[in-house]
Amino acid sequence: MTSTVPALGTRTAEGSALQAVLLDMDGTLVDTEGFWWDVEVEVFASLGHTLDDSWRHVVVGGPMTRSAGFLIEATGADITLAELTVLLNEAFEERIDGGLPLMPGAARLLAELRLHGLPTALVSASHRRIIDRVLSVLGPHHFDLSIAGDEVSRTKPFPDPYLLAAAGLGAHPARCAVIEDTVTGVAAAEAAGCRVVAVPSVAPIGPAAGRTVVSSLEEVDLAFLQALMTEMR
């Protein structure tokens, strides 16, 4: 299993243009954003509450503390954040045990990055127990390290997870390409100073300086990521 923080390397911004690729998990590599919403709907139904579909855009992409906290407040459910977190994680694990669909282009991109030996990290707001389940499907050998949302004091939209991943790979953040599917994740990566490729899943993401928006991972390969870095020089 990949470790959370390996020893620091010695790469610098003056080295190769593209030093590492940092990838989000839910909605980026695995088609699970819908799974999370379905699980939230089911759990709250068991508590006697109906979720408004408009809330889906509020809770997508963020840490569970934020999304679960919002739903407790919005519904007035009589449950603590800690209790709800356990229920959501357990229900999600049951859901992915039934099959974990990959996003189009994900398997090919991961294989290409590994083939060329490019340092790669999985950076997710999901908890370690969920990441390890997903890694068993994605293949832990595709990643040099992984960062879980419950292993950092501040997760997305703060830059901490991406800064930690870059440091763990010995890469300069400005020489890291981040692939994200939500506004929250994009905000975290951009705050860390990384070059971002946005692949919107649930909610649209607009273009911005230092950000490239694509419709699918099928548009992304190593040459594409290297070209983004070349444009910045």
Side-chain angles (χ1 to χ4, degrees):
M1 192 59 62
T2 51
S3 60
T4 303
V5 187
L8 297 184
T10 57
R11 297 173 186 267
T12 67
E14 290 71 40
S16 60
L18 177 63
Q19 294 181 342
V21 178
L22 317 177
L23 302 106
D24 173 56
M25 187 177 76
D26 293 300
T28 299
L29 293 176
V30 289
D31 192 8
T32 50
E33 290 292 13
F35 281 19
W36 277 114
W37 178 248
D38 291 343
V39 162
E40 288 160 346
V41 169
E42 291 170 5
V43 168
F44 274 89
S46 71
L47 298 172
H49 298 276
T50 300
L51 300 188
D52 190 311
D53 196 60
S54 66
W55 296 342
R56 181 174 182 177
H57 296 292
V58 179
V59 301
V60 68
M64 186 174 292
T65 52
R66 188 194 73 181
S67 57
F70 168 83
L71 292 174
I72 290 174
E73 182 176 355
T75 61
D78 184 19
I79 189 171
T80 67
L81 182 59
E83 291 169 338
L84 180 57
T85 296
V86 171
L87 291 179
L88 291 174
N89 276 328
E90 289 178 346
F92 185 78
E93 288 177 357
E94 291 179 5
R95 181 62 62 93
I96 63 177
D97 282 346
L100 186 60
L102 302 186
M103 298 299 288
R108 186 262 315 151
L109 177 60
L110 290 176
E112 181 181 15
L113 295 176
R114 187 52 35 183
L115 177 65
H116 291 276
L118 197 69
T120 308
L122 185 66
V123 184
S124 176
S126 290
H127 290 186
R128 170 55 58 186
R129 59 186 287 185
I130 299 298
I131 287 181
D132 286 347
R133 283 287 190 99
V134 174
L135 276 172
S136 68
V137 176
L138 288 176
H141 61 284
H142 285 123
F143 304 93
D144 297 286
L145 66 88
S146 58
I147 306 292
D150 57 340
E151 295 172 339
V152 292
S153 58
R154 301 190 309 172
T155 188
K156 305 172 188 180
F158 293 99
D160 305 36
Y162 282 113
L163 291 174
L164 185 61
L169 295 176
H172 191 285
R175 296 303 183 191
C176 292
V178 169
I179 304 179
E180 272 280 0
D181 73 302
T182 66
V183 172
T184 299
V186 167
E190 291 180 344
C194 302
R195 186 71 163 86
V196 178
V197 177
V199 192
S201 59
V202 175
I205 300 174
R211 178 193 310 168
T212 300
V213 182
V214 298
S215 61
S216 167
L217 285 182
E218 294 182 315
E219 299 177 42
V220 182
D221 57 16
L222 181 55
F224 178 92
L225 297 174
Q226 290 173 328
L228 295 181
M229 292 298 170
T230 302
E231 293 170 4
M232 296 175 63
R233 306 180 82 177

